[in-house]
Structure formats: C-alpha cells, structure tokens
Amino acid sequence: MQKKIIPVLFFLLISVAISATPADTIRVLAIGNSFSEDAVENYLYDLGKADNVVFIIGNMYIGGCSLERHWYNAQKDTAAYSYRKIGVDGIKKTTERVKLSTAITDEEWNYITLQQASLNSGKYHSYFPYLIDLQNYIKNRATNSDVKYAMHMTWAYAQASNHAAFSIYNTDQIVMYDSIVAAVSRVSEKTNIDLVIPVGTAIQNGRTSYLGDTFCRDDHHLHLLTGRYTAACTWYRKLTGKSVVGNGYVPAGLSAADALIAQKGAEYAVNSPYSVTDLSEIEQKK
C-alpha cells in the first residue's frame, strides 16, 4: 500500500508546484531602449526575491529607440531587437535579432510597458500616433487578455549634461523634468495607459537629498548603483503595490543611507508621480 501512496503524493506535490508558479509570478515586458535597460535589467528581480515576489522580466532593447521607430519595426515585423530576459531563476539570457511579435507572445505578460526616447520624452506630440498604434498592435497579439499597459516615465538629464538634445529644454534640468511630467500626464489621460511608472520623479526626488545631482553616470544614463536602484525600486513599488522602504535587498557597494534615499524617492514618486518631494531631511550616516 505504501508503494502506491508515495508515487501519488509525489505526483500531487509536483502538480501543485507547477500550477502555483504562474499565479505567483509577475511577468513584465519593457519595449524600450537604454533607459529601460537601466530600470529593469539589474535590481528589480532581486527586490522581488527579497520580498517573496517572483518576476519574469523582458526588455526589448534598441539604444535610443523612439516610439516612432518601435512602430516602424512592428509594421515591418523587423528582427531588430536585443531581447534580454530574466527568468524565474534570476538568470538573464540575451537573444539578438528578435521581432516585437515574438517577444509579445513569448509569455502571458501581466504588464507591457512603453516609453519615449529621452530627447522626445517631454514633447507631447511626439507620442502620437505611435503610442496608440503600438497599443493596438500589442492588443491584437498579447496572449493575456488582462494585460495592463504601462508608461515608463523617464528622467531629466544631469544639469551638467552636454547631450545635444538638452538644448530642446533650454539646457535646464527642471525645464526638462517639468516637460516630461506635463507630457506623460497628458498622454496617460488620452490613451488607455493603465499605470505610469514615475522613475523621472523618483530620480528628481533623490536629487533633493544630500546625493544631489549624482544619479547619472554620464550626462543622461543612470548611475550603476544609486540611479539604477532608484529606478528598480520605483518599478517594484508600482508593479507590486508593496512598500519598498526597508526591502532587504541592497546592491553591494551601496550604503544603507544611500539605499534609503533611493527607496524613499521611489515611494514618494509613486504616491505623488507628478511633483517633487524634498528628501533633504534624510541625513547621511557616517
């Protein structure tokens, strides 16, 4: 009798484990560029792991890619992307020359995110008609009928930036940030965007702290620790609804005080996505 029970119990345990995986996993696909690379490819999975949340993360990457170019690629079904995918085991695999249609149908994504190229991120009219066209394209192909569409609100350049596009915003970080906020808020109201991931505000929050304008590693990409961790915290907070303050995962080399700036910057950004919260009261611990 025992010989029959053991195989049956083993089969039931395996069945439960397999069936539990989809329900416990958040699947998110970013259709982006180097700014989505900064935001999701590094610390988002680890924040989830520390909080018993499992992610499958995809990033369809072309450096500097705009919504217009994404739409062109979709129309032509062009295999133009580097598809970076982090599985349930936390291992990132990169596949070159991938089509948007392939990535969209690769998983039953819970969230698919879009973003504008940084130079156009504060220009409202640059989002149209491409954003709506892409949403319709995704809707016709997504394997999850309940997929939600998110807008990744990117950040303003460092004030000392020499980026040629910075002149569009009078070479002024605050002008660029305000332009991004104005554009994204209007875009999200006009379209069927379900949620905005306000990384731009989280970074701007952090800039009010003792860290100042140090969140970029060059003139526009995020610092490998403080910048990327702030972005990942914002995505985590918005996608899970869980507070990120006190999360047990902090990247090696990032101090507890700097991590708190990133966590609180993200927390306040999700609570107030279109306005800056002053973090100057948080003291640097020596």
Side-chain angles (χ1 to χ4, degrees):
M1 187 69 178
Q2 287 181 339
K3 291 182 180 180
K4 293 182 179 180
I5 292 174
I6 291 173
V8 170
L9 288 175
F10 179 77
F11 175 77
L12 288 173
L13 288 171
I14 292 296
S15 299
V16 169
I18 292 172
S19 64
T21 301
D24 297 338
T25 302
I26 296 176
R27 296 167 166 82
V28 55
L29 174 66
I31 298 173
N33 49 42
S34 60
F35 278 35
S36 57
E37 176 186 38
D38 274 348
V40 304
E41 288 190 26
N42 300 279
Y43 307 130
L44 178 58
Y45 178 90
D46 300 290
L47 286 164
K49 185 177 180 181
D51 210 13
N52 295 317
V53 175
V54 178
F55 280 101
I56 293 175
I57 302 164
N59 183 32
M60 287 294 274
Y61 170 88
I62 296 177
C65 197
S66 65
L67 289 171
E68 181 177 6
R69 186 176 175 189
H70 285 308
W71 174 235
Y72 174 84
N73 290 339
Q75 287 179 295
K76 301 294 184 180
D77 204 26
T78 306
Y81 293 85
S82 175
Y83 180 31
R84 290 91 176 271
K85 184 178 181 182
I86 301 171
V88 293
D89 56 3
I91 297 173
K92 180 165 69 175
K93 297 180 180 179
T94 300
T95 307
E96 303 297 342
R97 298 182 295 279
V98 177
K99 301 175 182 180
L100 274 178
S101 58
T102 301
I104 290 167
T105 57
D106 186 40
E107 294 278 351
E108 291 190 356
W109 303 107
N110 301 107
Y111 301 96
I112 296 179
T113 75
L114 294 157
Q115 64 189 60
Q116 183 55 291
S118 65
L119 73 165
N120 290 327
S121 56
K123 298 168 65 178
Y124 171 76
H125 293 291
S126 74
Y127 289 77
F128 301 102
Y130 316 111
L131 177 60
I132 294 173
D133 290 337
L134 283 164
Q135 285 178 294
N136 290 332
Y137 177 87
I138 294 166
K139 183 178 181 180
N140 290 331
R141 288 161 179 80
T143 57
N144 180 1
S145 60
D146 294 323
V147 63
K148 295 186 182 300
Y149 300 99
M151 172 63 64
H152 178 202
M153 187 179 91
T154 56
W155 51 91
Y157 298 161
Q159 184 54 53
S161 174
N162 292 316
H163 196 295
F166 203 20
S167 61
I168 296 171
Y169 306 99
N170 299 329
T171 319
D172 188 310
Q173 182 183 97
I174 300 303
V175 170
M176 186 174 185
Y177 168 72
D178 288 343
S179 298
I180 294 170
V181 164
V184 171
S185 61
R186 287 181 65 193
V187 166
S188 63
E189 289 179 3
K190 182 173 181 176
T191 64
N192 292 320
I193 291 294
D194 295 296
L195 61 157
V196 172
I197 305 173
V199 175
T201 294
I203 295 297
Q204 209 61 37
N205 288 346
R207 286 168 170 161
T208 69
S209 73
Y210 60 76
L211 288 171
D213 197 9
T214 63
F215 282 78
C216 290
R217 66 183 184 271
D218 48 22
D219 53 11
H220 57 298
H221 293 106
L222 291 181
H223 186 281
L224 298 180
L225 287 174
T226 52
R228 284 182 167 182
Y229 186 62
T230 300
C233 285
T234 310
W235 280 67
Y236 182 77
R237 174 66 175 83
K238 189 66 183 181
L239 295 181
T240 67
K242 294 173 175 281
S243 175
V244 75
V245 177
N247 184 286
Y249 175 74
V250 175
L254 190 64
S255 72
D258 291 357
L260 183 61
I261 292 293
Q263 292 173 354
K264 287 202 169 183
E267 191 80 17
Y268 287 127
V270 171
N271 291 335
S272 300
Y274 302 131
S275 61
V276 177
T277 301
D278 192 330
L279 300 181
S280 59
E281 292 184 358
I282 300 177
E283 296 183 359
Q284 183 176 11
K285 296 179 181 178
K286 297 182 180 179

